[in-house]
Structure formats: structure tokens, C-alpha cells
Amino acid sequence: MALQRAVRLSPKKPSYALCAVGVETYLDVHSDVPKGAENFGVSGSSGVKIFMAYDPAQVTEPMDRAHWPLDASVDVVISVDAASKALNDLKVKISYFGQPAGGALGHSVLYLTGADISLDADTGRTGKVKRAHGDKKSWRWGPEGYGAILMVNCDRDSLRSTEMDLTSTQLTSLDDLQDMSPVVLTCDAPDELFDSYQLVLNVPLSDSKRMRVFCARGGNSLLDYKQVLGPQHLSYKVARQPGERKIRLYVEGLSFPDADFSGLVSLSVSLVDTKTLPEVPLFTDTVAFRVAPWIMTPNTQPPLELYVCSVLDAHGSNEKFLNDMSDLALRASCTLMVCPRVENRNDRWIQDEMEFGYTEAPHKAFPVVFDSPRNRGLKDFPYKRILGPDFGYVTREIQFTGVSGLDSFGNLDVSPPVTVEGKEYPLGRILIGSCLPRSSGRRMAKAVRDFLGAQQVQAPVEVYSDWLSVGHVDEFLSFVPTSDQKGFRLLLASPSACLKLFQEKRDEGYGEAAQFDGLEHQVKRSINEMLADRHLRNDNLYAQSCIDWNRAVLKRELGLAERDIVDIPQLFSLRGAYAEAFFPDMVNMVVLGKHLGIPKPFGPVINGRCCLEEKVRSLLEPLGLHCVFIDDYLSYHKLLGEIHCGTNVRRKPFPFKWWHMVP
């Protein structure tokens, strides 16, 4: 219990004090005593707990505990454990004695009023508000941690509204209360007490733009919920009604953690003595909250919805591709969501536009779409079509510098859960494509990188993607789920593996088998021609060196061994200083559970089968995966993208609770 304050007693007249339940009050029994007094005794009402505080090395406890020496360091501390029924209904009496002990030389009397004032939230993280007697001011990570959690109220529960709920100072739907963290203000005390004392809610200035508090008064209609704290509202005098012992509050987060915001906010209630000027707070109770982070989901999480765009270009519509995606979604038991041309404005790169994640508190979780700053044809789709009831929205705009290709979210991925040198990352680690360290190449915008790092639960790793023309991580890596102990494999595009495969096929007598066999719009290249092409070989030696650099980073930062990595055969070619996929990039796949939608590579056909497809099947199907090769050549590959670039997947949240980890 915290020490509240000191109350000075006098034998000349009674003293009066307010005592908050569970808070210790120090009694000054030494400053004003009868002449000749050398000892004192303490007695009190049954509702008062009395503690004698002293150093046993200096003070010997009296046999009867009734005559304590005044000349020693013996302090009297009291507390109450329940609210008073009436003003001054509790009493403490100090009796003073001379030496040798005789009759009392005088008495000091203190009349007490007990007030039960407490601010309680779900600090135990059970999903329900319970009375907390421990430390509510601090917030602790881990399975044994404590502290309340706020969600950013970034969905739109009212279908009549066009804005996120957090933009409104009025409740627009009773469902919106479920997105807020409930808080109970206990204010149990005699009604007469509040003629002289006022309950005041406070939020620090720095926190006021990060949170908003609603107070429930009266019934259960929208008008009964009033905003009392938030931006431009730092304090609120609570209008307690006669006989009212509990007041319901609801707290919403207004912004996710970021470079300038740790995620921690606090809410306080003070009992203020209005008889003094300036008014003095006699007691303050404070609750700390952490704003729940935005969390990405890796390919290893089960798919719920597969998004793809319907488009039309010089080669016609992508209807065949949409049908292939429909079949794949059916196999994986997830829902296909087709974004029509009127909404995508012929922008097919839906992975680049947005990233699905979620936010979670102990009582509630909902998906949140992160809208990239690229702002092309799909720019309105996340806000206008995905934002809705229990589906949140967040974005980060780039203020002063232009948007680069690396700001698209094909350049954003997240690993499955990993352990690195004993450090656990139970929600995985975010991967961001970038330039080489200490170089002046392209990087994802600082605003986005800062946001991702500030979430704390998926510590980002920057990898090297600036060697690619488009510059996205999904052009050379992917993760797939497996049923073994590791639970996943990292797939890396591998020019070395491809050249080795082609050399093997040449040595087996298939040197005239041709790449791009079956394609009408592409010049065929035999295995012999490709292996003899020095420019192509040099391009791929360079590409392999870039991928090898990333391989070392990923092994180090994700705690991976060679056995955790699968090399997927792939060739690249340089256009100027940057690389592009020479044939459809098989690593740029969509992962729907065990079902993989892989760009059809149109590799050399040997004995009626594409040798590239056969190689990939031999690598992945023993892991329990099902490979489905899909033609994306004209609609995606020729436009410098593939299946992953043209799709997006919403997945199930992690079962692991983010507050159980230690960043």
C-alpha cells in the first residue's frame, strides 16, 4: 500500500481525516503531546487497521503493546478496508502516559471517514475487469506480466458513417463499446462527503491525443455515453449521483505505437478537497495501458480470404487467372474475394497496395488492413471497401519525399515464429526490402519502417532487395508451412540451382529442350543456348551473389540452418543495373495452407513434363505441400510481377497472445 499523507494530532481538539480504502495514512503523534508524556498507546474502531512501524534493533516491543516510547522512532500507520456508512463513523484514540505508568495525561482523537475510491481495468488480462490491489501504474510484458491493454478503435461499426470510429467524439454504435477497454470507477463513500470533495479524472497532455474516454451515464442509448477525456480534454469533474458506488468508463486508443509514441498511456482519478485554494488532491489512483500493436501474419497461418483483381488489358481479361484462383481457394477452403475493375481502376497489384494484419486485446480482436503509401489505382479500395464493422484500417503517408517502388507491400513480409540464439520471436520477424547498409540506394519510407519497428512484437529485419528492378522481397523469398518440428521452410530463388539443373539435363542428352516451350509470345531458348549465353550466366552469378548475401542475413537474423532453406531454381536477367525474372518467378507464389499457387515457369519439356515444375515438386511435395502451377505470363509476368504480387491473403491471427512475449 502507498503512503498517503500525514495527519497531525493534538490533545487540545479532535482531528478529522478522510482515509481511502487500501491506502496507508501516517499519524503524527509526536509533534503535540501533553507535558510529561513519555509513552503512548493506540486504540481504534474495528474498521481501522493500526500498524506500529519501528526498527526492532532500536525499539523493544512493549509486553502489552499499549505503552510505546515517545522518544524512539515509532510511527503509527492506519488504513481502512471498507467505505464508511456515515461521515466520521470511525475513530482512532492516542493516549499519552508519564513514567512510571499511571493514568493517562491526555488523549488525541481522530475521527475518520473511509472512502473506497479506485480505478480498475483488466490489468490481469483475463478479458474482465477485476479489482486490482497491486501495481496499476506500471505495465509489464511476459506470461507473468500485468497491465491493461487498449485497442485502436480503427474500424467502422456504423454503416451510416464514412469515417473510422476513432474520429468521432460521439458513440455511433453500441457495438463500438466492444472495441474499447472497460474501466470501473469505484466511488463508495457517504454522499455528504462529496459536498466537500470532488472526483476528477485526468489524462496527461502527451496522452490526450492517443486515447479517448467515454462515461456511461443513465440508460443504454447512444446519448447516454459522453466523451469526457481525449484531445483538448485533459480533465473531467465526475458528476457522481447520490448513492452511486460504481461508474462505468470506456477507453479507446486513437493511434498505434510509432516513432514518437511508445504505446503507453495512463488514466488517473483524484479525490480533490474543494475547501482549499488551490484545491488539493488527497488521493490519486492511476492505471497504465499499452496500446495493442498491429501484427502481421505469415504464410504459415491458415488462410481465410484470397483477394485478387479483375483487370482488362491489351491481352484481354484475366478471367482464366481468376478461375484458377477460384479453384485454388476452393482446394484450400478459403473465400475468394474479387475486386472488380470499377474499384481497382485496372490496378492488379493488390499485394503492393495493402497488408492484412490484426490487433488484439484480451477481450477482443479484429483484422486491420495496413494501406501502403503507393496510392495508385487501388488507393481507395482498403478504406472504402475493407474498412467496416470489426475490420480496422491504418496507413502511413509520406509527407515530403516521393514514393518509391520499395514502399509497396510486396516489399514487406514476415517470418513464422523463430528462436535466434535463445531469443524467442513467437510472432515472427518482419522482413523489409532495402538497399545495402551504408549505401545510397532505395529504401522503404522511414515513416513505414518506423511504424513497423514501433509495434515491438515482430522486430523488423532489413534485407537487400535494391538489386531487383521492382525491388521487392517477394521476388526472391517466401515461406511455406510444413508438418515437421520446424513447421516451415524458407524458399529462396536460386540461379545456381537452375543452372545446375539445366547442366544435368544437357548431360542427359536434352540440350535442345527449350525454355518457354508452349508460349506463343516468347522466343524459345534451348538449354544449350542458355548455358552458352555468357551474358545470361554473368547476370545470374550477380543475382546469386545478392541472394547469398540475403541468405547469410536471414540465417543469422532468423536463426536458420541450411536444412531450413529450400533453393527454388530461377534465372534472372539484368536490365541496366537491375535484375528481372528471366522466366516466371516461382518463389513469387501464393501460399494457402498446404496448397501453393506457383507461377508456371514454361521450362524445358522433357518426356512430356516441364523439368522446372518437376524439380520444384520434388523439393516441396515431400514436405506435404501441393503444387499447382498457374499461367500468369501475360497478365502478370510480362508486367514485372507474378502471382503473389497480384493476390493478397487474410489469415487467422496467431493463437499466441502478444502480451505474453518479452520484446
Side-chain angles (χ1 to χ4, degrees):
M1 291 186 290
L3 191 67
Q4 179 192 7
R5 62 192 177 104
V7 176
R8 183 172 178 176
L9 305 186
S10 172
K12 301 180 182 66
K13 62 178 181 179
S15 301
Y16 298 87
L18 175 68
C19 194
V21 170
V23 177
E24 295 178 344
T25 299
Y26 164 71
L27 303 187
D28 179 0
V29 300
H30 299 86
S31 297
D32 190 354
V33 301
K35 185 177 180 180
E38 297 182 15
N39 300 281
F40 72 95
V42 186
S43 62
S45 304
S46 59
V48 181
K49 293 181 178 179
I50 300 173
F51 308 89
M52 308 304 293
Y54 59 91
D55 183 355
Q58 299 180 11
V59 178
T60 301
E61 181 178 315
M63 294 292 292
D64 56 1
R65 290 183 58 86
H67 294 79
W68 294 88
L70 274 169
D71 61 354
S73 298
V74 179
D75 294 328
V76 181
V77 180
I78 64 169
S79 69
V80 299
D81 54 13
S84 292
K85 302 299 183 185
L87 286 177
N88 307 317
D89 63 352
L90 301 172
K91 183 172 75 170
V92 175
K93 184 170 74 171
I94 309 296
S95 300
Y96 294 96
F97 303 93
Q99 188 67 262
L105 300 178
H107 306 278
S108 294
V109 178
L110 171 65
Y111 290 99
L112 290 169
T113 302
D116 190 3
I117 309 297
S118 181
L119 201 58
D120 292 289
D122 180 19
T123 53
R125 304 170 185 169
T126 63
K128 297 184 181 299
V129 177
K130 296 181 181 178
R131 184 67 177 262
H133 299 285
D135 182 8
K136 295 185 282 187
K137 291 183 180 180
S138 60
W139 202 97
R140 180 178 170 186
W141 294 88
E144 304 301 322
Y146 51 82
I149 293 169
L150 288 182
M151 288 198 301
V152 178
N153 195 8
C154 57
D155 67 340
R156 181 174 60 204
D157 284 314
S158 174
L159 298 178
R160 294 188 298 252
S161 174
T162 59
E163 304 290 336
M164 287 185 285
D165 292 338
L166 59 80
T167 63
S168 177
T169 59
Q170 294 182 329
L171 207 65
T172 58
S173 167
L174 291 177
D175 291 336
D176 201 22
L177 295 174
Q178 300 301 314
D179 303 335
M180 303 184 191
S181 293
V183 174
V184 175
L185 170 58
T186 301
C187 50
D188 189 5
D191 290 340
E192 297 82 3
L193 179 76
F194 296 97
D195 293 338
S196 303
Y197 294 89
Q198 174 73 56
L199 286 169
V200 181
L201 289 169
N202 295 282
V203 61
L205 175 62
S206 59
D207 295 348
S208 63
K209 62 182 179 181
R210 311 294 187 185
M211 60 190 295
R212 185 180 285 120
V213 181
F214 289 87
C215 185
R217 312 302 286 155
N220 201 35
S221 70
L222 293 178
L223 296 178
D224 293 318
Y225 295 87
K226 174 186 175 184
Q227 180 202 328
V228 296
L229 294 174
Q232 288 83 52
H233 298 278
L234 304 183
S235 66
Y236 168 67
K237 293 183 177 180
V238 179
R240 179 187 180 274
Q241 302 300 317
E244 194 170 30
R245 292 181 172 85
K246 305 280 186 183
I247 296 175
R248 292 177 296 136
L249 305 171
Y250 294 88
V251 188
E252 65 178 355
L254 301 182
S255 59
F256 283 99
D258 213 325
D260 60 348
F261 175 42
S262 70
L264 287 174
V265 294
S266 65
L267 173 65
S268 300
V269 64
S270 295
L271 188 61
V272 176
D273 187 349
T274 59
K275 302 186 300 297
T276 62
L277 288 175
E279 296 179 347
V280 177
L282 298 180
F283 166 75
T284 298
D285 198 19
T286 302
V287 177
F289 298 84
R290 183 176 291 279
V291 176
W294 179 79
I295 302 171
M296 284 181 67
T297 51
N299 286 350
T300 47
Q301 288 302 109
L304 296 173
E305 295 173 334
L306 172 64
Y307 287 74
V308 65
C309 293
S310 172
V311 294
L312 184 67
D313 55 29
H315 302 290
S317 77
N318 66 338
E319 182 178 357
K320 174 64 168 59
F321 182 80
L322 296 180
N323 291 336
D324 289 339
M325 289 297 106
S326 178
D327 292 342
L328 190 67
L330 186 62
R331 295 188 193 195
S333 301
C334 71
T335 303
L336 180 68
M337 309 290 287
V338 178
C339 175
R341 287 192 293 274
V342 68
E343 293 178 3
N344 65 51
R345 290 179 283 190
N346 234 37
D347 179 4
R348 70 198 70 206
W349 309 117
I350 197 165
Q351 177 61 51
D352 288 343
E353 181 59 38
M354 61 189 186
E355 184 68 52
F356 287 112
Y358 68 97
T359 190
E360 182 175 25
H363 70 283
K364 178 82 180 278
F366 57 74
V368 178
V369 62
F370 186 8
D371 190 1
S372 81
R374 72 189 278 269
N375 290 342
R376 288 166 63 178
L378 278 160
K379 67 177 182 177
D380 296 328
F381 180 71
Y383 192 86
K384 290 186 176 180
R385 303 300 298 172
I386 294 181
L387 171 64
D390 285 344
F391 211 130
Y393 173 93
V394 66
T395 190
R396 285 296 178 270
E397 296 294 338
I398 300 173
Q399 298 296 330
F400 304 111
T401 60
V403 177
S404 82
L406 272 67
D407 296 319
S408 298
F409 285 171
N411 194 33
L412 187 62
D413 207 336
V414 64
S415 80
V418 293
T419 300
V420 185
E421 296 183 349
K423 170 68 176 175
E424 294 183 353
Y425 298 92
L427 302 175
R429 299 191 70 177
I430 287 173
L431 304 179
I432 300 169
S434 188
C435 57
L436 287 172
R438 296 177 296 279
S439 72
S440 58
R442 298 172 294 173
R443 293 184 78 186
M444 183 175 282
K446 186 176 186 298
V448 178
R449 287 185 282 116
D450 285 348
F451 172 82
L452 295 170
Q455 308 312 305
Q456 295 194 63
V457 296
Q458 295 177 302
V461 178
E462 289 194 52
V463 296
Y464 179 37
S465 66
D466 192 30
W467 61 280
L468 291 153
S469 180
V470 175
H472 293 178
V473 295
D474 65 356
E475 296 177 78
F476 67 89
L477 68 82
S478 185
F479 295 93
V480 293
T482 60
S483 56
D484 57 11
Q485 185 175 1
K486 185 66 179 180
F488 71 91
R489 294 291 187 276
L490 167 64
L491 308 186
L492 288 179
S494 177
S496 295
C498 190
L499 291 173
K500 180 182 177 182
L501 175 65
F502 285 173
Q503 288 165 357
E504 290 173 353
K505 296 307 175 186
R506 179 193 61 188
D507 294 344
E508 292 170 7
Y510 300 108
E512 293 305 313
Q515 181 68 42
F516 306 120
D517 195 6
L519 277 175
E520 298 179 2
H521 307 281
Q522 182 65 39
V523 175
K524 297 177 179 58
R525 300 285 304 275
S526 71
I527 290 176
N528 288 334
E529 289 173 337
M530 289 186 289
L531 291 177
D533 188 334
R534 285 186 298 172
H535 290 294
L536 184 61
R537 177 174 289 274
N538 289 336
D539 289 353
N540 281 281
L541 288 174
Y542 169 72
Q544 187 64 60
S545 70
C546 296
I547 294 170
D548 286 345
W549 192 93
N550 285 303
R551 187 189 204 94
V553 171
L554 292 164
K555 288 172 68 175
R556 180 179 68 247
E557 299 295 337
L558 302 183
L560 302 179
E562 277 297 321
R563 61 180 177 275
D564 304 322
I565 302 173
V566 178
D567 291 307
I568 301 299
Q570 184 64 47
L571 294 184
F572 295 87
S573 60
L574 290 183
R575 178 179 295 184
Y578 297 103
E580 299 172 358
F582 180 67
F583 54 77
D585 189 349
M586 291 185 285
V587 151
N588 196 297
M589 63 180 70
V590 63
V591 179
L592 303 179
K594 295 185 179 299
H595 300 274
L596 313 180
I598 305 174
K600 185 176 181 61
F602 293 97
V605 176
I606 297 171
N607 297 325
R609 295 180 180 273
C610 169
C611 68
L612 288 171
E613 292 185 19
E614 288 300 289
K615 181 62 176 179
V616 171
R617 289 186 194 277
S618 72
L619 293 169
L620 300 182
E621 290 186 350
L623 299 174
L625 301 167
H626 304 288
C627 301
V628 180
F629 292 91
I630 295 171
D631 181 1
D632 74 343
Y633 194 84
L634 293 178
S635 295
Y636 295 89
H637 173 72
K638 292 294 286 184
L639 301 174
L640 302 185
E642 308 287 359
I643 293 177
H644 186 262
C645 308
T647 58
N648 211 314
V649 183
R650 182 169 74 87
R651 302 180 185 277
K652 286 185 179 180
F654 284 101
F656 180 87
K657 305 306 179 186
W658 62 265
W659 51 89
H660 287 163
M661 72 175 291
V662 179

